[in-house]
Amino acid sequence: MKKIITHFYHTMTLKRLLLSLLSISIIFCLSTCKKGKPTSKLTFNKKNKINHDFKGFGIQWSTYQHADAPGDSWGFLMKDSSRWNLMFERLQHMKPSIIRIIDNAEDRYFRGLDPKGKPIVSYNRHEMHALYKILDFCQQNSIQVILGEWNPPWQMQNGNEHLWTEMIADYMYHLVRVKRYSCIKYFTLVNAPNTYKAKNQGDYDVWKNWVIGLENEFSKYHLNKYVTIMGPSSDPTWDMPLKTLKGKDWLAQSNEDLKETIGAFDVHAFLDEEAVIDGRTEDFLHLNPNEIQNLHGPLFISELGIKPMGDVLKDGRSSRLSQPKVFDDEYAELTTLACMDLLQVGVDGIVAWYLDDAMYTEANDGNTEQIMRWGMWNSLGDTLYHDPSELKIRPWYYTWSLLSSNIQKGSTIVQINNNNHQNINAVGVVNAKNEYVILLSNSTSEEQIIEIDFTEGLDNEEFYCVRMNHKKKSDGNSIILPKNDDIELVDNRSLLVRLSNKEMKLITSGEFLYSFK
């Protein structure tokens, strides 16, 4: 696919949050038009299943380690319930199926070792109550949680990692059996263990033994029937120097070695722009559809992002490791195109990296000049910089919300036969509500008329569509839905869809409920 460059938003004020979910130009496309001759013909056959139990789209959302407690470097900013409510409101509109939370134990519940070398833990700290707020939200909204820890605390390294896995098992027992958070479905041990960031220093066997140790501890607490261990959380594009196992091989190796230990799999996907534009996501990540089918558990993309290219942000606030394009329309388009490729290769769930800039600083030290810019906003920027514009929603929130709210947990992903039309990309979905969803993109510089033939009758279905990359119009607090004739149902068997040059659309037979008060 060639690069789709468009502009489809304008900045919304915080006061208009509840009106903003459609700010990417939500346009109802009614069956009123007369189309020309189709330039491309596609076939939607429900039997051509890629994935019959998609786990959904999600987002990484850890709490605010520099603002969760009175002693934190930014102060106890999160004592203000309105900050939590803002996050909950925005997530209610996004409707994620998955929330991923990765912590350091020392930032959450671990307080050091006692004189006998036993861990000191507290489940009643401010930091724990911040976690409970997120878990309460997930529990109430039936959101699956992936919980995990980046690395062992320094006191539990160099041969003492058994203390870490023992402590984690007790922690998980508290959350799952005492607090009864049934939303916690997965636990992952070490983030990107094949890289220099991990304390196992990219050593596969060391990591494998830690995971086996965790499974043994889970067994002692009878946690295995409640929580599935996930791994390897590796970066398939990174090869650790002097290590024989390549990054791309960690997935297959863990599938072979840890059949009795790992019940779900995950890899990271930080993609080059050109790979996404050219439709090479599968090759870039070294993902093989047959290999995915042979895994003995679902495969998640647990961190999805587009690698930054070019100049760094020089605003006195942003880390050099930030992604400058999160402020722009293009990032929304690139992440959407990447998701289309990943759905077609057969992944079971996709989690975006990440929700809120305020979660992380580069050196994990709270330096407000080194914020990691990868989020959909900076929820604490109004206080940290006295700049309310930091709270403004960025474009990719809207596209991600459309994907997560329309392609929910339990959806079936369908391979659409595009009859070798290389410049038209299409993904089919029958979602959990038995509604049709189709993602379409046109990478040509010319308008295309797409005919989508359904092998099963449509029984007078009413279809709607959303232009994923087109300017919206607004008038005060109202969202104008201009008259549109981009879609037509023909003989209850086919859809004709007009795609402008470089355009993406989401089409669904489901009902769009976009009346906000």
Side-chain angles (χ1 to χ4, degrees):
M1 289 178 283
K2 298 179 181 177
K3 192 172 186 179
I4 301 175
I5 302 177
T6 57
H7 297 283
F8 55 103
Y9 314 103
H10 69 74
T11 303
M12 298 292 290
T13 66
L14 184 60
K15 292 180 181 178
R16 296 175 186 169
L17 170 65
L18 296 181
L19 291 169
S20 65
L21 185 59
L22 295 184
S23 75
I24 57 168
S25 175
I26 306 303
I27 299 175
F28 288 100
C29 306
L30 304 178
S31 303
T32 59
C33 67
K34 298 298 181 182
K35 296 289 178 288
K37 182 178 179 181
T39 54
S40 301
K41 291 189 177 182
L42 314 181
T43 303
F44 191 120
N45 186 341
K46 285 184 178 181
K47 296 180 180 179
N48 292 339
K49 298 178 182 178
I50 299 173
N51 189 325
H52 71 278
D53 186 21
F54 184 62
K55 305 300 182 184
F57 287 90
I59 191 79
Q60 173 113 358
W61 186 27
S62 298
T63 64
Y64 302 89
Q65 59 181 313
H66 308 302
D68 278 340
D72 288 345
S73 56
W74 297 346
F76 192 10
L77 300 182
M78 295 309 295
K79 69 180 178 181
D80 183 351
S81 61
S82 67
R83 295 188 184 277
W84 287 107
N85 290 336
L86 178 63
M87 297 300 98
F88 296 149
E89 288 169 4
R90 292 180 176 185
L91 284 165
Q92 287 280 11
H93 293 305
M94 183 189 291
K95 295 181 172 57
S97 294
I98 308 163
I99 295 289
R100 183 175 186 254
I101 306 168
I102 308 296
D103 286 324
N104 288 308
E106 54 267 44
D107 295 328
R108 186 69 64 195
Y109 61 92
F110 174 57
R111 307 304 294 149
L113 300 178
D114 68 16
K116 295 182 179 181
K118 299 296 184 182
I120 302 169
V121 301
S122 173
Y123 300 141
N124 197 35
R125 302 175 68 205
H126 286 286
E127 292 87 347
M128 285 299 300
H129 286 280
L131 175 65
Y132 298 152
K133 286 183 183 293
I134 293 180
L135 294 177
D136 286 343
F137 176 80
C138 293
Q139 189 81 9
Q140 292 161 9
N141 291 277
S142 301
I143 298 171
Q144 309 161 91
V145 173
I146 301 171
L147 205 61
E149 297 196 5
W150 300 103
N151 274 304
W154 65 266
Q155 300 96 324
M156 298 179 177
Q157 297 173 21
N158 302 316
N160 293 316
E161 289 82 9
H162 66 283
L163 294 175
W164 184 39
T165 54
E166 290 169 6
M167 181 176 69
I168 288 173
D170 184 80
Y171 172 53
M172 292 301 294
Y173 181 84
H174 169 75
L175 292 176
V176 175
R177 302 299 292 134
V178 177
K179 297 288 289 184
R180 297 190 179 277
Y181 285 119
S182 59
C183 58
I184 301 174
K185 300 298 185 185
Y186 306 98
F187 191 91
T188 181
L189 192 73
V190 184
N191 196 65
N194 66 309
T195 72
Y196 65 92
K197 300 175 184 178
K199 296 304 180 182
N200 62 306
Q201 291 297 296
D203 190 307
Y204 172 80
D205 289 327
V206 169
W207 170 81
K208 179 181 73 172
N209 289 332
W210 291 355
V211 172
I212 292 172
L214 179 66
E215 196 275 336
N216 290 335
E217 296 302 326
F218 274 19
S219 295
K220 294 176 184 178
Y221 284 86
H222 305 288
L223 288 169
N224 308 72
K225 63 181 179 180
Y226 301 103
V227 180
T228 298
I229 294 176
M230 176 184 284
S233 295
S234 54
D235 179 352
T237 68
W238 176 266
D239 295 332
M240 191 71 174
L242 305 180
K243 301 298 181 183
T244 56
L245 189 66
K246 303 297 184 183
K248 66 182 179 63
D249 297 323
W250 273 63
L251 179 62
Q253 194 67 48
S254 58
N255 183 56
E256 180 178 341
D257 294 345
L258 297 169
K259 287 184 171 64
E260 305 302 320
T261 305
I262 290 179
F265 296 85
D266 71 316
V267 296
H268 297 176
F270 287 96
L271 304 164
D272 284 350
E273 287 185 15
E274 292 303 319
V276 175
I277 293 163
D278 295 339
R280 294 184 291 104
T281 299
E282 173 184 336
D283 295 335
F284 185 82
L285 294 175
H286 307 285
L287 289 177
N288 183 304
N290 292 327
E291 180 183 344
I292 293 173
Q293 291 297 319
N294 290 331
L295 295 174
H296 60 271
L299 174 63
F300 293 77
I301 300 298
S302 54
E303 294 181 8
L304 173 69
I306 309 299
K307 290 182 178 180
M309 297 177 62
D311 296 336
V312 299
L313 287 169
K314 297 179 180 179
D315 57 4
R317 304 175 183 180
S318 303
S319 160
R320 61 189 171 86
L321 302 180
S322 297
Q323 169 52 283
K325 290 187 177 180
V326 293
F327 294 94
D328 303 331
D329 302 346
E330 186 181 0
Y331 195 74
E333 297 166 0
L334 289 168
T335 49
T336 301
L337 290 171
C339 287
M340 292 179 69
D341 286 346
L342 290 166
L343 290 173
Q344 290 176 92
V345 79
V347 302
D348 293 279
I350 305 174
V351 179
W353 175 262
Y354 45 72
L355 186 70
D356 190 346
D357 293 348
M359 297 189 304
Y360 304 124
T361 57
E362 181 177 329
N364 198 31
D365 59 359
N367 185 346
T368 56
E369 296 181 357
Q370 296 294 319
I371 294 284
M372 300 277 282
R373 300 282 201 177
W374 284 85
M376 296 174 169
W377 49 73
N378 177 2
S379 69
L380 301 181
D382 59 330
T383 298
L384 299 179
Y385 308 115
H386 305 289
D387 183 359
S389 69
E390 289 275 346
L391 280 73
K392 290 180 179 178
I393 293 173
R394 298 168 192 164
W396 75 289
Y397 164 82
Y398 300 105
T399 44
W400 200 261
S401 295
L402 283 166
L403 292 171
S404 61
S405 60
N406 285 282
I407 308 175
Q408 317 96 336
K409 179 181 182 294
S411 295
T412 296
I413 312 302
V414 176
Q415 181 71 54
I416 290 183
N417 184 347
N418 73 350
N419 296 308
N420 294 317
H421 298 299
Q422 298 300 320
N423 294 317
I424 303 298
N425 194 20
V427 182
V429 179
V430 179
N431 69 20
K433 299 177 182 178
N434 204 35
E435 300 162 343
Y436 289 102
V437 180
I438 302 168
L439 294 169
L440 282 175
S441 72
N442 171 20
S443 63
T444 75
S445 57
E446 298 178 351
E447 178 181 282
Q448 301 289 322
I449 304 298
I450 313 299
E451 181 179 337
I452 306 172
D453 293 326
F454 291 78
T455 56
E456 298 182 13
L458 294 175
D459 194 25
N460 293 311
E461 296 272 11
E462 185 172 11
F463 283 84
Y464 306 89
C465 74
V466 180
R467 290 178 178 171
M468 299 281 276
N469 55 344
H470 196 85
K471 281 188 176 181
K472 73 172 280 293
K473 298 178 180 179
S474 69
D475 179 14
N477 290 330
S478 300
I479 292 172
I480 298 173
L481 303 176
K483 183 179 178 181
N484 187 273
D485 60 356
D486 283 351
I487 191 167
E488 181 180 359
L489 180 61
V490 179
D491 297 330
N492 285 327
R493 196 77 184 186
S494 299
L495 279 178
L496 292 181
V497 183
R498 175 182 289 128
L499 278 177
S500 301
N501 61 309
K502 311 296 185 184
E503 185 179 35
M504 288 186 289
K505 276 188 168 75
L506 182 148
I507 301 166
T508 179
S509 62
E511 183 180 5
F512 280 110
L513 300 176
Y514 287 138
S515 57
F516 300 108
K517 298 181 180 179

